[in-house]
Amino acid sequence: MSTWDTYPRRPLIMGIVNVTPDSFSDGGAHLAESAAIAHGKALVAAGADIIDVGGESTRPGARPISAAEEQARVLGVVKNLAAAGVVVSIDTLHAETAKAAAELGASFVNDVSGGLADPAMAAAVADAGIAYVIGHWRGTPQTMRNYADYADPVEEVCRELAARAAAAVQAGVPPGRIVLDPGLGFAKRAPHNWHLLSRLDRLQELGHPVLIGASRKRFLAGLVPAGAAPSGRDLPTAVLSVLAAQHQVWGVRVHDVEMTRIALGTWAAWQSAAGSPG
């Protein structure tokens, strides 16, 4: 058994499957159901612990779609992956989609709005008896740029996330099934994202596991050559995953699972050696 398998504090890797025509990094690449299923299985083979299936882009300016259109894209993917033994997360703003995906075997709901987009979401998650990833956001994909204004981004995000977690508990979600995501890039400019990453300890003080979703986001563009494709941000994403691991986050959500797996495996080997006399 490898160090990767035995090291107890490594983050879980959540691999991204976008079943969309318009996601910022890979829109259209896995829009066909067969392609999305194959990609999900490939990510598991590369080291993903969870596959996050989404059918609606939430990039700034993205157009909203109906729950029915979203379900037409994602439910077959969820069903097939879950039937193959994959741990599936449904990335959705719609309570109807969350409920349908749970019935098909999804184990997590990843709601980047933290229940703000659909007030019925928390109750739907509670009824399904699955885990709830609560993201921080302000506004909508169409308006979020207007809300990227913070006197203290760390404290304000923590306060707003705590409120969303409390609302979920009030709706019946057990506290032990809640994961918090600071929502990097959602109503945040680059300095806000870096401030939040520098204070993961403060986020963890909220008492819930923390998921970091920095993969390929725009605030990483300044770290790579000008004009590089979003996939060119996979190296800084992997570095961030290691830094997040050092702060004992629960998970990292990434596009390039293999690079992240290698980076975290290297970190795990280092950590294990540091605690062993040889």
Side-chain angles (χ1 to χ4, degrees):
M1 185 174 288
S2 69
T3 298
W4 168 261
D5 295 317
T6 59
Y7 194 67
R9 291 189 293 132
R10 71 165 179 89
L12 299 176
I13 297 178
M14 179 181 281
I16 300 168
V17 175
N18 289 319
V19 194
T20 62
D22 57 345
S23 290
F24 76 95
S25 68
D26 58 357
H30 310 112
L31 185 58
E33 182 175 302
S34 58
I37 294 167
H39 185 54
K41 290 179 177 179
L43 292 180
V44 171
D49 301 287
I50 304 165
I51 298 300
D52 194 38
V53 179
E56 178 177 8
S57 175
T58 51
R59 62 177 173 77
R63 74 169 182 89
I65 64 173
S66 68
E69 183 177 357
E70 178 185 48
Q71 289 171 36
R73 294 176 180 177
V74 302
L75 291 186
V77 180
V78 170
K79 179 180 179 180
N80 278 274
L81 289 177
V86 174
V87 179
V88 177
S89 166
I90 180 67
D91 179 358
T92 182
L93 304 175
H94 302 281
E96 292 177 29
T97 301
K99 179 181 177 181
E103 290 172 351
L104 293 172
S107 301
F108 293 82
V109 171
N110 179 17
D111 177 3
V112 298
S113 82
L116 292 174
D118 187 340
M121 179 65 86
V125 175
D127 290 344
I130 61 177
Y132 191 18
V133 180
I134 295 175
H136 176 271
W137 85 343
R138 293 175 173 180
T140 67
Q142 296 74 43
T143 65
M144 66 175 69
R145 289 189 181 96
N146 300 328
Y147 294 94
D149 185 16
Y150 302 86
D152 185 331
V154 174
E155 290 306 315
E156 290 174 55
V157 167
C158 285
R159 182 170 63 249
E160 292 167 25
L161 269 179
R164 299 316 307 156
V169 171
Q170 187 172 16
V173 181
R177 292 183 181 165
I178 291 174
V179 177
L180 300 181
D181 178 350
L184 302 177
F186 291 95
K188 297 169 188 74
R189 293 188 292 274
H192 303 142
N193 296 320
W194 289 116
H195 279 301
L196 286 162
L197 287 168
S198 74
R199 290 301 313 277
L200 292 177
D201 60 321
R202 179 68 184 91
L203 287 163
Q204 290 168 327
E205 288 174 2
L206 298 177
H208 298 282
V210 173
L211 173 70
I212 295 299
S215 187
R216 297 184 180 176
K217 290 194 173 177
R218 188 175 300 174
F219 77 100
L220 301 177
L223 303 175
V224 299
S231 60
R233 304 168 195 169
D234 287 336
L235 178 55
T237 297
V239 173
L240 280 180
S241 295
V242 170
L243 294 172
Q246 291 178 340
H247 287 82
Q248 300 180 31
V249 300
W250 172 84
V252 291
R253 181 179 181 272
V254 300
H255 296 84
D256 190 328
V257 166
E258 183 175 26
M259 184 176 289
T260 300
R261 161 72 172 77
I262 292 170
L264 288 175
T266 304
W267 169 81
W270 180 312
Q271 294 294 104
S272 292
S276 170

